[in-house]
Amino acid sequence: MVDKLGIKAFFIKGPATVIQGLRLPRTSADVDVFVSPGELDVMLSGLRERGWRERPVDPDNRTFPQHSVTVDHPEWPCCIDVHFRFPGMENAPADCFDVMWANTERLELAGQGVRVPSKALGIVILVLHALRSPHLPACRQELEFLANLTERLLQFPELLFLARATGSLAAMRPFLEDILPLPVAVEWPQISTEWSNRLMAKEPGSARLIGIAQAPLRAKSRMLFRAVFPAPEVHLSRDIYADMSLPGRLKLHKARWARFLRAAPRILRDLSPLQKG
């Protein structure tokens, strides 16, 4: 489809990373494709014509900045995540895409030639993905694997170039500082508010409360109302088949509050940096 539409797109994560030796064998639950931001609408339109439909998302883009669009198909057992930017890459999305596109290669996969990131770019993407949740054992394991791989392949110059060119130095600092050879000196920028919030919000409820705390005064009351009485899309983003009748929504609200109360102690820990600030 991508070739027919004449757009630039490449696949990230998934089985290609295993073939490239960037990940240990695993089963992929969905497909991740990266498209030029300027061609996102063309890509989505082409998918719609082929029966794919966009999944509902939380409308609070201030708290949950969107970086991809997820689509599903009634006849396919997986989703497609169409990325138009990547969290941790702070340069303009179009500029980041140009840098990434210049660092892709062709790979034979399931009898088809597909475009995927180079090994260096693949490492950058996987590192940023794992650094979103470094408290999780699976992410720590992946970061350790990628650190050993980078040292073995001696890809420090390529990683530094890509991190600088995409504005990822700040987000990747915890990974790069541990593996860069001692003579290499780097001027580390400050992490963005969006990335800082991602690291702070280890619980889903934390992100919303952090967003409310940081919002302008005029927006707080509306955001608080929506936190207590969420839009239907919030429920549907968790389960596209959720019962949205009145009794169904009441049941969903009850389950939502139960999750919040169970997670309250962990949410308070997540919010402690805001109190110190």
Side-chain angles (χ1 to χ4, degrees):
M1 186 191 83
V2 171
D3 292 337
K4 288 182 180 179
L5 293 175
I7 61 178
K8 293 179 179 179
F10 59 94
F11 294 91
I12 61 173
K13 300 184 282 183
T17 57
V18 177
I19 295 173
Q20 291 176 303
L22 306 182
R23 264 182 169 174
L24 296 173
R26 63 175 67 193
T27 301
S28 297
D30 53 22
V31 176
D32 293 271
V33 61
F34 213 117
V35 64
S36 169
E39 296 175 324
L40 174 64
D41 290 340
V42 178
M43 178 75 160
L44 294 176
S45 177
L47 287 167
R48 289 189 205 103
E49 290 174 2
R50 290 159 175 80
W52 294 85
R53 58 195 180 189
E54 294 177 35
R55 293 180 70 99
V57 295
D58 193 313
D60 183 2
N61 198 48
R62 179 193 296 274
T63 302
F64 306 100
Q66 194 174 14
H67 62 271
S68 65
V69 179
T70 301
V71 297
D72 65 15
H73 194 291
E75 297 177 7
W76 286 81
C78 67
C79 295
I80 301 176
D81 288 332
V82 185
H83 296 256
F84 55 90
R85 70 181 188 94
F86 205 81
M89 295 184 176
E90 303 296 346
N91 289 352
D95 295 339
C96 288
F97 184 86
D98 289 342
V99 172
M100 289 188 286
W101 182 254
N103 287 272
T104 59
E105 59 190 33
R106 300 288 291 187
L107 180 72
E108 189 77 14
L109 187 63
Q112 297 290 325
V114 297
R115 188 165 289 277
V116 300
S118 65
K119 283 191 175 183
L121 178 58
I123 291 173
V124 169
I125 290 171
L126 292 176
V127 165
L128 288 172
H129 185 262
L131 283 174
R132 294 186 212 174
S133 308
H135 59 287
L136 298 179
C139 291
R140 289 199 300 270
Q141 182 183 36
E142 180 146 71
L143 289 169
E144 183 178 349
F145 177 84
L146 291 168
N148 293 333
L149 179 67
T150 302
E151 291 175 342
R152 192 166 69 249
L153 298 178
L154 296 176
Q155 290 200 307
F156 310 113
E158 293 90 340
L159 260 61
L160 265 181
F161 167 77
L162 289 169
R164 287 192 174 106
T166 58
S168 308
L169 270 180
M172 291 185 66
R173 182 175 181 176
F175 177 82
L176 291 173
E177 274 190 323
D178 287 341
I179 65 169
L180 288 176
L182 286 177
V184 178
V186 179
E187 186 174 339
W188 301 103
Q190 292 293 316
I191 62 173
S192 67
T193 298
E194 179 185 340
W195 188 255
S196 175
N197 289 351
R198 282 183 179 276
L199 298 182
M200 240 191 300
K202 299 178 180 65
E203 294 292 326
S206 305
R208 203 173 296 277
L209 291 177
I210 291 169
I212 293 171
Q214 295 175 341
L217 186 61
R218 64 182 181 278
K220 288 184 186 292
S221 57
R222 177 175 52 82
M223 292 177 68
L224 186 58
F225 177 83
R226 276 305 179 191
V228 178
F229 303 103
E233 291 87 351
V234 175
H235 297 302
L236 291 170
S237 66
R238 288 179 58 88
D239 178 8
I240 195 171
Y241 302 108
D243 179 6
M244 298 309 294
S245 66
L246 180 58
R249 291 181 67 172
L250 290 174
K251 186 176 179 180
L252 290 169
H253 279 295
K254 181 180 178 181
R256 179 183 171 86
W257 276 103
R259 289 194 301 271
F260 177 80
L261 293 174
R262 285 195 302 269
R266 297 188 296 275
I267 290 175
L268 289 175
R269 285 198 297 271
D270 287 356
L271 297 179
S272 58
L274 288 179
Q275 298 168 351
K276 293 175 184 176

